[in-house]
Amino acid sequence: MQRCMQLLALCGLVCAALSQPGCQWVSKGQLTAADSQNRILNEQSKAQLAEIENLKAHNRTVENQLIQAEEELADLDQRIGVDRKQLANFQRERKQFKETQGGNSRGGAPAADPRLADLSRKFDWLVFDPETGASKFDTDVLFESGQTELRPDARKVLDQLAQLLMSPEASELRIMVVGHADDRAIARKPVRENYPDNWRLSTARALEVAKYLQKVGVSDRQIAVAGYGSHQPIAPNTSAAERHLNRRVEIFVMGPETPVVGWVDTPTRAY
């Protein structure tokens, strides 16, 4: 209909021109050329309108992405605030624990379990610290970013530790399984739904190790679990390799007389 109206208008202009004195007759070819030019202009107009609509749609998409980014940033700020409060609580508890340990030392702390020193001489992968009276399994269990699954090489070294803990000479020893994370916020949504922050991710890693040791025969009465989030790094979080070292689980071996906060049958004045 629009094209018909345009043709009628064009014909009207032609007729008006013919009615003027001195005007010449417009040929069919000229009329066809004018009609063709009109169609081209019409198509260009449609293309420009379509491009405007596309730009409007793109603008709406960008606005939605900006709103989503702002919401995620606000959520991240909130989670960082929670992490800072948890860190402050952890530092306060650690200070109280150190003070308690110092008080026990002044009152006569139990001597280091001699079995740990003997075992460290027998097994070079068990490092004994005479000052704390505890040993550390020298192989940290490492994890991929945002993951809690044990790798096959981790199971192999844990089997080695489990054999020791189930032996008669170590059956009364205890272990503290401590989980850690790097300093990056959990970005992927599926992981964030299970572990909203690095505290829970690090604890889940420690639980994964503890459950595996229990599965292969270690008594659950020998096992304790802790998660330190990203607040106890052993390397700067400035490269992928360094962050990988911080995504770890450490295992400490202690005698039954070593005071541990939360273990009610250890000799400490807290109970």
Side-chain angles (χ1 to χ4, degrees), residues 169-245:
E169 58 186 331
S171 60
E172 294 183 3
L173 298 179
R174 298 168 171 175
I175 61 170
M176 177 67 75
V177 184
V178 182
H180 302 272
D182 61 31
D183 67 344
R184 288 196 166 184
I186 301 172
R188 288 179 291 179
K189 185 177 180 180
V191 180
R192 194 168 62 247
E193 289 176 347
N194 292 323
Y195 314 110
D197 51 52
N198 281 322
W199 289 97
R200 276 169 272 200
L201 178 60
S202 65
T203 305
R205 287 169 174 164
L207 283 170
E208 196 70 20
V209 171
K211 287 190 295 184
Y212 182 81
L213 290 172
Q214 183 183 16
K215 177 181 176 182
V216 297
V218 178
S219 171
D220 55 2
R221 293 187 302 172
Q222 293 178 266
I223 305 172
V225 171
Y228 287 165
S230 61
H231 305 297
Q232 298 293 322
I234 58 172
N237 286 289
T238 55
S239 69
E242 290 169 341
R243 287 190 293 272
H244 191 208
L245 292 176

